[in-house]
Amino acid sequence: GDSVTQMEGPVTLSEEAFLTINCTYTATGYPSLFWYVQYPGEGLQLLLKATKADDKGSNKGFEATYRKETTSFHLEKGSVQVSDSAVYFCALGYTDKLIFGTGTRLQVFP
Amino acid sequence: DAGVTQSPTHLIKTRGQQVTLRCSPKSGHDTVSWYQQALGQGPQFIFQYYEEEERQRGNFPDRFSGHQFPNYSSELNVNALLLGDSALYLCASSSGVETQYFGPGTRLLVL
């Protein structure tokens, strides 16, 4: 079946450091790939998405590329801020449902 | 433009009781999906409603049921509550093949 595997957290960084959060997937079809972010006590917010192989999603300085050959969708940001501290979820999706990874907590210190 | 709204925000129930959670989709969306997020875990798909019918269902028991109304809003019902049902319940709305947008969730505690 379909599944998503994320690197375990927490990821602890200093402000302005480079961020990578690894995400790999297993899919039986041709899903879209997503990154969602969850701030404390809140629901999920869409961060970025890619709908087909080699697409790059980007938003607010974050980016991720849909790599079919390595079945990966790693999240990157060149310079993190304290306000980026949150839990990040990688997900694959079809029309009817999303399948999420377990989430990676990011902590950014000044 | 209002996003996805859910009510109530928090709820405390005891084992064996029944609960109903409510969701109003984002304007222009006709599809509602429900997810359960246990503490420290990723959301798990419960089911999806479209045109007032359950279109797809995840691996959840029949104690979990739902409904969609003609105005596209939706309810999630859970019967015979168990301690393990304690979680954040998320509603997401979408239209066609577009992205799912999530509400703030309802936090359910079962004692």
Side-chain angles (χ1 to χ4, degrees):
Chain A
D2 295 357
S3 65
V4 174
T5 301
Q6 287 182 240
M7 64 186 289
E8 290 193 15
V11 174
T12 304
L13 295 173
S14 298
E15 206 165 25
E16 299 183 2
F18 184 86
L19 168 71
T20 300
I21 300 179
N22 290 336
C23 170
T24 57
Y25 67 90
T26 302
T28 53
Y30 302 94
S32 295
L33 299 177
F34 304 84
W35 279 99
Y36 283 86
V37 58
Q38 188 172 38
Y39 296 99
E42 298 185 9
L44 299 177
Q45 297 178 23
L46 176 67
L47 183 58
L48 54 84
K49 69 175 183 179
T51 58
K52 61 184 186 296
D54 299 326
D55 270 2
K56 177 185 285 188
S58 61
N59 185 29
K60 299 180 182 179
F62 291 91
E63 58 181 34
T65 301
Y66 191 163
R67 303 283 190 198
K68 190 177 178 183
E69 63 275 13
T70 55
T71 62
S72 65
F73 193 55
H74 303 322
L75 182 68
E76 297 182 335
K77 186 176 185 183
S79 177
V80 293
Q81 305 299 312
V82 172
S83 57
D84 293 327
S85 298
V87 180
Y88 292 80
F89 291 94
C90 182
L92 65 82
Y94 303 96
T95 303
D96 52 359
K97 65 182 178 183
L98 292 168
I99 296 171
F100 288 87
T102 53
T104 302
R105 182 175 299 279
L106 170 65
Q107 298 175 328
V108 181
F109 294 95
Chain B
D1 177 26
V4 180
T5 59
Q6 293 186 242
S7 62
T9 55
H10 296 82
L11 206 51
I12 300 175
K13 293 286 187 179
T14 57
R15 282 180 297 173
Q17 286 190 311
Q18 178 264 344
V19 68
T20 297
L21 310 181
R22 296 175 176 82
C23 172
S24 291
K26 184 178 169 65
S27 178
H29 287 182
D30 57 7
T31 302
V32 173
S33 304
W34 287 92
Y35 294 81
Q36 180 195 64
Q37 185 180 15
L39 196 61
Q41 300 296 315
Q44 298 290 319
F45 175 75
I46 302 175
F47 42 54
Q48 184 181 80
Y49 276 83
Y50 172 70
E51 291 189 341
E52 302 180 49
E53 297 286 333
E54 183 180 290
R55 179 157 70 178
Q56 181 68 265
R57 188 179 183 93
N59 189 26
F60 279 80
D62 292 344
R63 298 187 297 109
F64 290 76
S65 63
H67 188 78
Q68 186 178 35
F69 299 92
N71 67 352
Y72 307 121
S73 66
S74 176
E75 289 182 349
L76 164 65
N77 301 290
V78 186
N79 295 321
L81 284 166
L82 304 174
L83 296 179
D85 295 331
S86 295
L88 180 67
Y89 288 84
L90 295 164
C91 169
S93 73
S94 57
S95 178
V97 297
E98 295 299 317
T99 302
Q100 295 187 20
Y101 290 88
F102 286 79
T106 294
R107 190 163 297 281
L108 172 65
L109 178 60
V110 182
L111 300 177

